[in-house]
Amino acid sequence: MDALLKTKYGVGNVELLTVPEPECPDDGVKIDVAYTGICGTDLHIYHETFKSYPPVIMGHEFSGVIAEVGKNVTKVKTGDRVAVLGSTAVTCGSCEYCQTGYYMFCKDRRGMGHGVNGSFTKYTVVREDMVYKIPDSVSLEEAALSEPLACAVQAIEELTTIQVGDTVLLSGPGPIGLICLSLLAMKGCKIIVAGTSADATRLELAKELGADIVVDVINEDLQAIVLKETNGKGVDVTVECAGAGPSVSSCLSALKQRGKHIQVGIAGKEITLDFDTVLYKQLQVFGSLAHSMTTWERVMNILEQKKINLAPIITHKLPLTEWKNAFELCEQKQCGKVLLSHNA
C-alpha cells in the first residue's frame, strides 16, 4: 500500500512509498483510513522543527472505517465508523499524567504520525481503547477534524473561563484558529481575528464563521483597532494560534490589565518577548498542549449534538498522491483544513 513517510532526519525527507499492509493483532483494530487532515505538526515534521522518529508514516488527524478487529476486541466491530485518539499510541500508563488523563505529558509518550506509524496511508492498526465511534449524523470528513477540535476545545473550554460578552483577540486564522473561533462565536463573544496579508483567504473564512472584525496586521494597525473596539481598555482574552513571535507580542500588548492569554500555536523555535508585560499587566498566561482524555469525551458529545459546524473549515480534499500540492497549499495559507485520502 502507498504511505507518506518521513524517511530520515533532516529538512524534507518526506516520500510517498510502497509499504507492507499491517496485520491486525489480537488486541487491535485495523482501520481503512478515510481522511487525514494536514496538521501544522506535519509541516513542522517536514521542516525538522518537531521531533519525529523516522522512518515513520506521517499523519494523525484521521477518520476511517474498521476493516478488521482482533479476537480479543469487544467494544467495536467491523464496519464501525471511527475517529482515533492517536496521541496515546505509546504511553507508560502508570505515571501521574497517564493516571489522570493528561497523557500528553507522559515521558514515554509517542503519538501516531511522528513516534509510530500514522494515517497518511490506506490501513493503520491501533489499540481498541484509542478508537471512538462517531455518530451517524457526522460525516467521515468532519470526523477527521476530531483531533484539532479537541485541541480547540481544551484551549477555549477547559483552561479558564471565557464568558459571553468578552472581547477576544484571536491571532492566527489557520484551521485550529478557525475552530477556536467557532467555539468562541457559540459563546457570544465579540471576536477580533488577526492575520497577515498571506491569510487573506482564511480571514474571509473567519468572517463567515462569526468573526466580528478581521485585521490584516500588515496593512492595518491592530493595536489601534483593539483600543477603538474596547474603549481604550484592551481585550479580555487573547488566543494565539499562529505560533509566531510577533503574534505573541501583539497578543500580550492587546490585553487589558489582568487579562488572559492562551497559547495554542507552536513556534518551533525560541522567540523574543517583553515578558515584563505579563508582570506589569498582571496577566494570566495559559499554555494549551493538545488535549486530555476528558477533552475527547467532550468532543464526541459536541459532534453528536451538532453544536459546531466543521464542514466550512474543510476547503480541500485531495488524493494522497498529491501530498506535495496539499502541503504547499498549507504553507501558502491558501486554504482552511486540507484532507488527504487514498480514496480521493
Side-chain angles (χ1 to χ4, degrees), residues 59-324:
H60 62 278
E61 300 179 357
F62 73 103
S63 64
V65 178
I66 295 179
E68 185 181 347
V69 298
K71 65 180 183 180
N72 297 328
V73 171
T74 59
K75 295 181 180 179
V76 291
K77 64 183 184 303
T78 301
D80 283 345
R81 302 180 323 133
V82 296
V84 176
L85 175 47
S87 300
T88 61
V90 176
T91 61
C92 74
S94 59
C95 69
E96 63 174 298
Y97 302 113
C98 288
Q99 291 293 309
T100 55
Y102 291 99
Y103 43 77
M104 294 300 299
F105 303 107
C106 174
K107 65 180 179 60
D108 295 329
R109 189 188 75 84
R110 290 194 183 187
M112 293 183 71
H114 61 91
V116 301
N117 285 334
S119 57
F120 281 143
T121 187
K122 180 172 176 57
Y123 292 109
T124 191
V125 172
V126 301
R127 297 189 314 274
E128 180 182 17
D129 65 277
M130 296 166 62
V131 172
Y132 289 77
K133 288 191 282 188
I134 60 175
D136 293 337
S137 59
V138 177
S139 70
L140 285 167
E141 290 93 332
E142 292 172 295
L145 272 65
S146 297
E147 198 274 345
L149 174 57
C151 293
V153 166
Q154 173 171 278
I156 302 303
E157 299 291 343
E158 297 181 345
L159 297 180
T160 185
T161 302
I162 303 174
Q163 298 178 319
V164 59
D166 281 348
T167 300
V168 181
L169 169 62
L170 189 150
S171 183
I176 292 284
L178 293 173
I179 300 174
C180 287
L181 163 62
S182 298
L183 293 172
L184 291 166
M186 281 197 325
K187 286 178 172 289
C189 298
K190 180 178 181 179
I191 310 162
I192 303 169
V193 177
T196 68
S197 299
D199 291 310
T201 299
R202 292 171 169 180
L203 289 173
E204 286 301 313
L205 186 51
K207 291 180 185 177
E208 298 175 21
L209 293 171
D212 296 282
I213 301 159
V214 298
V215 182
D216 175 350
V217 299
I218 303 300
N219 296 307
E220 299 176 271
D221 187 335
L222 175 61
Q223 301 303 325
I225 292 171
V226 165
L227 291 175
K228 177 183 175 183
E229 296 297 328
T230 61
N231 297 316
K233 184 176 65 172
V235 298
D236 300 288
V237 181
T238 53
V239 182
E240 205 290 322
C241 297
S247 172
V248 180
S249 294
S250 292
C251 284
L252 298 182
S253 296
L255 277 166
K256 71 177 186 181
Q257 278 77 10
R258 305 189 74 243
K260 302 172 182 178
H261 175 77
I262 302 171
Q263 186 63 38
V264 182
I266 298 173
K269 59 183 178 182
E270 290 187 3
I271 59 176
T272 300
L273 296 172
D274 180 5
F275 209 64
D276 278 350
T277 303
V278 176
L279 167 68
Y280 286 120
K281 287 188 173 183
Q282 200 169 315
L283 303 177
Q284 298 180 64
V285 178
F286 300 88
S288 187
L289 178 64
H291 33 69
S292 69
M293 199 64 71
T294 301
T295 318
W296 268 79
E297 294 166 0
R298 190 189 302 267
V299 162
M300 292 301 116
N301 290 335
I302 291 171
L303 289 175
E304 184 172 16
Q305 297 166 14
K306 304 293 283 186
K307 294 297 186 183
I308 185 172
N309 184 12
L310 297 172
I313 296 171
I314 302 167
T315 58
H316 295 76
K317 293 185 287 184
L318 296 170
L320 186 60
T321 53
E322 293 187 24
W323 72 270
K324 290 182 181 178

Side-chain angles (χ1 to χ4, degrees), residues 14-71:
V14 173
E15 297 181 57
L16 189 65
L17 301 174
T18 300
V19 301
E21 184 176 315
E23 296 184 0
C24 185
D26 290 344
D27 296 318
V29 175
K30 183 176 179 178
I31 298 172
D32 186 344
V33 178
Y35 296 98
T36 301
I38 298 176
C39 175
T41 303
D42 297 314
L43 302 181
H44 279 295
I45 291 170
Y46 182 93
H47 291 291
E48 199 67 15
T49 52
F50 186 92
K51 185 174 179 59
S52 63
Y53 297 85
V56 65
I57 299 173
M58 297 171 63
H60 62 278
E61 300 179 357
F62 73 103
S63 64
V65 178
I66 295 179
E68 185 181 347
V69 298
K71 65 180 183 180

